[in-house]
Amino acid sequence: MTTANPLLTRDVRDLAESSLAEFARLCQARLGGGERLVTLFGRPDGAHDARTPGDIVVTAVFESAGGSLEVLRARAEPGARYPALTVDHPAAQIYERELWEQTGLQPDGHPWLKPVRFEGERQQHMADYPFFKVRGQEVHEVGVGPIHAGVIEPGHFRFMCLGEKVHHLEIQLGYQHRGAENLLLQRPPMALAPVVESICGDSCIAYAWSYCAAVEALSDRPVPFETDVLRGIALEMERIAMHVATLNGLATDIAFLQGTGTYGRLRTAVINASQRVSGNRFGRGWLRPGRARGLTDALRQDLRQTLTDFARDLAGINDLMCSALSVKARFQGTGVVSTKAARELGLVGLAARASGVAVDVRSQLPGRLYDRLPIEARVEQSGDCWARMLLRMREIDASLAWLFKVLGDDELDLAGGDSLLAPDTPLRPDALCVSLIEGVRGPVVQVLETSDQGHLLHYKVQDPSLPNWFGLAMAVRDNEISDFPICNKSFDLSYCGNDL
Amino acid sequence: MFNFPKSIAVRKAQGSQYIPDLRAAVPGGFRGKPVIGAADCESACQACESACPSRAITLDPVRIDMGRCVLCGDCETACPSAKIGFNSDVKLASTTREGLTISAAHPDIDPIKVSAELRRRYGRSLKLRSVSAGGCNGCEMEINALGNVNFDLGRYGIDIVASPRHADGLVLSGPISRNMVNALQICWDAMPEPKLVIAVGACAISGGVFADCEPVDRRFLETFKPSLYIPGCPTHPLVFIAGVMDLLGIEV
């Protein structure tokens, strides 16, 4: 049985282009059959052939139950309409909204057709967002943001409250939109790593890996297994560092200051180790097309020692945090997202796993790395802030176990090698590459398409936060508004990842 | 009952975490400042300039604008003559935009002149409001780290505050996305005089890799010039600390 791969390359000439109506029907059938919609997006068709310029080419990627990635394509006229998938399958909601916002195609009957990030002509119209309102004398409406009290990215949260209880939360994003997808088409494809790393700076390893794997596949230049191992090391260090940051934030938000102090300095230890390897606390520059910075014997031992000390002290503070009654009182039963809701909304990554939905690219699409060196995917069932806290603690433990195993395996040569792909390395023409990496929050999805000349035609970037913000909105319902900060922190989603 | 032994054990393992002398701290492995060799470049070579993702490099002679530099190191990799390297220098901040350019002949950022006025006013208390206007969360996380138990910038009375009403300075990160223009202005207007702007990171100083993107609108900074420019991508806490301590004349 072949291993399911998190990367798929297809020749676009082999991909049949349906009509938009037929495409919608095919997507409905797949969603109805239980397949997971990984992404759905469109791009304007350049006038590369005799067909009418101005068409929209639509791409959908599904993950079948058997663990394979499959692509559907359609061609539509500008402004065309089709029956919205969201009506029967809410998991499609954000992708159809983005498709509408980016291409103008109209999903008829979509119950929530609102801007995703106010890009293009909608820029600076943040005030025009059509919030749902609850009418009534006792209803009060609270608006928070875009700028918030702490050091955090901007987003607007509009609460409709009855007393202290939140009846409805609506989240409006787009403040961080910088035009990243367009920027990726402005520079040589082999030179995009610094840009990719800046789209979502706290997940730069996941983003860089997704990108590197894609351009390596598109240039038919696979990397050695050991390069993937090094990338896996970088990724798990990023995961640990960000999970500790979230635990720090959760502790701070409930004034559990021992947690604040301890998780804070523990994070420092991990990111300083990443800096010793890569020159940067976030791991920028660690990965480039064709290579990953290697570990000398000294650095390898350095990492093992750092992580050993880290693991010991982390266990102590985790234990303390989990046994404190004040922590339990705040987190248990707060911000619940049921398994049913998580599944129906198409939540991904950590937020889904905390609600009992076992989705993880590393276990479902392991590829050669996680096939040979598996990492245990953890799941919690209660879907509350407590689950999202506990799951992070457990994921750090799983990451540490993986890292100790890999770093301690003398058969693995982790010295790295200088096999950087030259800036002018050509890409395969007429190719579509779908590249997934399980980042801290969930699957980072990047889809690259080349023209018949081998130029980059389109670069779709999708952060796991894109579908997950809706999960936060659901989590806060029927909770007290004063619990919003811990709900938000327990998801710890990316604003800039959503906004691009 | 609260678990006293566990609490003590954690407290003991934590020990004392603060860095006593922030001036003496060396960030191990930090790719912090480009070092440009004095030897001639190969004829007609533009490798470093082409490799740079943020147009930080100009040639004849090789100069790097630290306000644009994202410290990616791709110029070092691209250079065929090994002219460019990096060291861990944390003195990267400047009070002028022009002061951020380095070259073989001018390898260091000019020292910040302490402003007696700023020292008198803010030398013992500087409250800062953070605004991320299109930031990627890198600078934001490092700004957050300033107040942690290791760096403890609060020891100098330098804190991040929750409201512009309480702030002396605006710490700006991100290139200024157009969708944040209004909110940024409202926040600035809400800050009482006297107030200053500190630009943190390549995006804030110059737009960084996003400088030429259409959804970026940087006019705010043409009107309200930063008093301090702190390079980085993201800005390392020790670089921020060196810059602010220099500006306020805080020695240790």
Side-chain angles (χ1 to χ4, degrees):
Chain A
M1 189 175 115
T2 41
T3 308
N5 248 309
L7 186 138
L8 173 75
T9 315
R10 295 293 306 276
D11 188 319
V12 299
R13 294 164 298 186
D14 295 339
L15 294 171
E17 283 180 356
S18 318
S19 66
L20 191 58
E22 175 65 9
F23 173 83
R25 202 191 57 74
L26 289 169
C27 288
Q28 279 275 9
R30 283 182 181 257
L31 286 164
E35 291 189 20
R36 193 173 78 80
L37 179 61
V38 174
T39 186
L40 165 70
F41 61 89
R43 66 163 176 80
D45 190 31
H48 286 291
D49 52 36
R51 287 191 258 208
T52 321
D55 278 355
I56 308 294
V57 176
V58 187
T59 304
V61 180
F62 285 89
E63 187 185 331
S64 70
S68 61
L69 292 172
E70 289 163 24
V71 178
L72 292 180
R73 294 269 272 199
R75 175 174 291 271
E77 283 174 9
R81 313 178 80 94
Y82 70 97
L85 304 170
T86 302
V87 175
D88 294 322
H89 305 285
Q93 64 92 13
I94 194 74
Y95 308 115
E96 295 198 297
R97 287 165 61 190
E98 191 194 37
L99 179 67
W100 164 72
E101 191 173 45
Q102 289 191 328
T103 68
L105 296 179
Q106 305 267 347
D108 279 339
H110 193 299
W112 200 288
L113 196 62
K114 306 188 191 185
V116 172
R117 57 178 76 94
F118 286 89
E119 56 179 302
E121 280 165 20
R122 286 197 181 81
Q123 284 177 78
Q124 276 203 316
H125 287 270
M126 309 301 283
D128 295 347
Y129 187 94
F131 290 100
F132 287 134
K133 288 188 189 278
V134 178
R135 282 197 296 261
Q137 286 281 20
E138 286 105 20
V139 175
H140 80 277
E141 187 173 341
V142 178
V144 183
I147 299 175
H148 298 287
V151 183
I152 193 171
E153 296 182 76
H156 188 77
F157 301 88
R158 190 68 67 90
F159 302 85
M160 305 300 306
C161 299
L162 298 163
E164 287 294 313
K165 193 171 269 201
V166 178
H167 190 69
H168 172 69
L169 161 63
E170 200 159 342
I171 303 171
Q172 178 198 6
L173 299 173
Y175 294 93
Q176 301 292 69
H177 177 63
R178 299 143 292 167
E181 287 182 320
N182 277 340
L183 179 59
L184 291 167
L185 300 176
Q186 311 294 331
R187 280 187 56 73
M190 288 301 160
L192 294 175
V195 176
V196 170
E197 287 171 340
S198 297
I199 299 176
C200 178
D202 59 26
S203 300
C204 58
I205 298 290
Y207 270 70
W209 192 353
S210 175
Y211 155 71
C212 289
V215 293
E216 285 153 10
L218 286 172
S219 58
D220 299 306
R221 303 282 291 273
V223 292
F225 178 76
E226 287 73 18
T227 303
D228 272 348
V229 177
L230 284 166
R231 289 171 174 177
I233 290 171
L235 183 69
E236 295 314 317
M237 300 227 0
E238 174 170 90
R239 192 181 320 278
I240 291 173
M242 280 308 292
H243 279 355
V244 172
T246 306
L247 292 171
N248 184 343
L250 282 168
T252 305
D253 280 356
I254 58 168
F256 189 73
L257 297 184
Q258 186 65 66
T260 305
T262 310
Y263 289 124
R265 63 99 171 171
L266 286 173
R267 174 180 158 79
T268 304
V270 175
I271 60 179
N272 278 356
S274 290
Q275 181 176 258
R276 290 194 292 279
V277 178
S278 70
N280 183 278
R281 293 192 346 148
F282 291 75
R284 288 178 186 239
W286 197 330
L287 276 59
R288 285 291 184 268
R291 74 142 206 235
R293 283 178 193 247
L295 305 175
T296 57
D297 285 342
L299 272 175
R300 197 165 173 168
Q301 185 47 32
D302 175 351
L303 285 186
R304 290 168 76 175
Q305 189 58 54
T306 303
L307 293 173
T308 301
D309 295 338
F310 168 84
R312 184 192 60 237
D313 287 351
L314 181 80
I317 184 61
N318 280 351
D319 190 18
L320 189 66
M321 183 117 157
C322 288
S323 53
L325 289 176
S326 59
V327 178
K328 289 182 190 176
R330 289 300 305 276
F331 290 159
Q332 287 180 345
T334 307
V336 175
V337 178
S338 68
T339 308
K340 180 166 181 283
R343 198 166 274 129
E344 285 181 359
L345 287 171
L347 300 190
V348 296
L350 186 127
R353 292 192 292 274
S355 290
V357 180
V359 285
D360 189 320
V361 177
R362 295 170 299 169
S363 29
Q364 288 162 314
L365 301 169
R368 67 176 177 181
L369 177 67
Y370 297 110
D371 188 50
R372 196 168 129 187
L373 296 164
I375 186 161
E376 205 188 320
R378 309 275 172 108
V379 171
E380 291 293 319
Q381 299 297 332
S382 53
D384 52 3
C385 289
W386 178 263
R388 289 184 285 274
M389 176 199 79
L390 196 61
L391 184 57
R392 285 183 169 90
M393 293 176 176
R394 302 228 159 108
E395 287 197 356
I396 295 173
D397 288 342
S399 295
L400 285 169
W402 192 89
L403 285 166
F404 284 132
K405 177 158 160 226
V406 163
L407 290 168
D409 184 347
D410 294 323
E411 307 275 299
L412 284 171
D413 174 10
L414 300 176
D418 200 16
S419 47
L420 187 71
L421 295 190
D424 55 1
T425 305
L427 301 178
R428 220 194 276 185
D430 289 316
L432 185 84
C433 182
V434 182
S435 179
L436 273 67
I437 294 289
E438 186 75 18
V440 173
R441 299 180 174 95
V444 173
V445 181
Q446 296 180 17
V447 184
L448 288 68
E449 184 174 350
T450 58
S451 69
D452 56 4
Q453 305 293 309
H455 299 138
L456 258 189
L457 252 188
H458 191 65
Y459 199 139
K460 182 90 209 79
V461 176
Q462 183 173 294
D463 192 272
S465 304
L466 188 72
N468 279 3
W469 279 107
F470 219 80
L472 169 61
M474 291 304 296
V476 177
R477 280 191 174 178
D478 296 330
N479 282 268
E480 299 179 16
I481 191 171
S482 49
D483 279 334
F484 167 69
I486 57 172
C487 290
N488 192 9
K489 187 59 70 176
S490 73
F491 276 79
D492 207 359
L493 299 172
S494 175
Y495 301 76
C496 56
N498 182 94
D499 293 350
L500 299 181
Chain B
M1 198 53 220
F2 187 64
N3 202 319
F4 210 53
K6 274 188 204 176
S7 175
I8 296 292
V10 170
R11 192 69 199 89
K12 222 174 131 189
Q14 178 81 342
S16 169
Q17 287 290 329
Y18 86 106
I19 300 168
D21 184 354
L22 287 168
R23 294 281 193 188
V26 177
F30 177 47
R31 186 170 57 248
K33 196 182 81 177
V35 178
I36 303 164
D40 288 337
C41 297
E42 281 184 19
S43 165
C45 179
Q46 294 180 309
C48 60
E49 190 186 39
S50 307
C52 180
S54 54
R55 294 193 286 116
I57 302 181
T58 46
L59 302 174
D60 298 318
V62 176
R63 275 179 305 257
I64 299 183
D65 174 4
M66 293 307 294
R68 288 187 170 274
C69 180
V70 297
L71 302 169
C72 63
D74 287 357
C75 53
E76 179 180 24
T77 312
C79 177
S81 349
K83 241 177 93 84
I84 302 181
F86 284 81
N87 66 19
S88 299
D89 192 359
V90 297
K91 278 190 175 282
L92 302 178
S94 173
T95 50
T96 65
R97 182 70 184 86
E98 307 71 46
L100 289 174
T101 301
I102 58 173
S103 61
H106 181 251
D108 298 319
I109 307 287
D110 290 335
I112 292 175
K113 288 201 199 57
V114 178
S115 156
E117 166 78 17
L118 289 177
R119 179 179 172 73
R120 185 183 60 80
R121 199 181 285 284
Y122 301 123
R124 288 152 58 89
S125 170
L126 178 69
K127 303 306 175 195
L128 300 170
R129 184 89 261 265
S130 153
V131 175
S132 169
C136 72
N137 206 32
C139 284
E140 290 76 18
M141 293 200 76
E142 295 294 54
I143 291 166
N144 251 319
L146 295 168
N148 77 9
V149 294
N150 301 122
F151 300 113
D152 186 23
L153 205 53
R155 73 178 95 178
Y156 298 122
I158 304 174
D159 298 300
I160 305 291
V161 289
S163 168
R165 298 293 196 207
H166 309 163
D168 303 309
L170 181 90
V171 171
L172 180 67
S173 54
I176 311 185
S177 46
R178 183 168 286 110
N179 286 343
M180 269 302 283
V181 163
N182 292 346
L184 174 62
Q185 189 66 52
I186 291 170
C187 180
W188 176 253
D189 291 343
M191 287 170 59
E193 296 274 8
K195 53 190 176 182
L196 49 82
V197 175
I198 298 177
V200 173
C203 285
I205 299 175
S206 66
V209 299
F210 300 109
D212 301 328
C213 290
E214 190 275 331
V216 166
D217 179 347
R218 297 177 51 75
R219 286 174 290 176
F220 175 86
L221 290 173
E222 287 165 24
T223 318
F224 307 104
K225 279 191 155 353
S227 299
L228 189 63
Y229 300 85
I230 315 183
C233 186
T235 302
H236 194 294
L238 287 173
V239 175
F240 184 103
I241 288 165
V244 169
M245 285 174 76
D246 283 349
L247 184 71
L248 302 181
I250 302 169
E251 267 153 39
V252 86

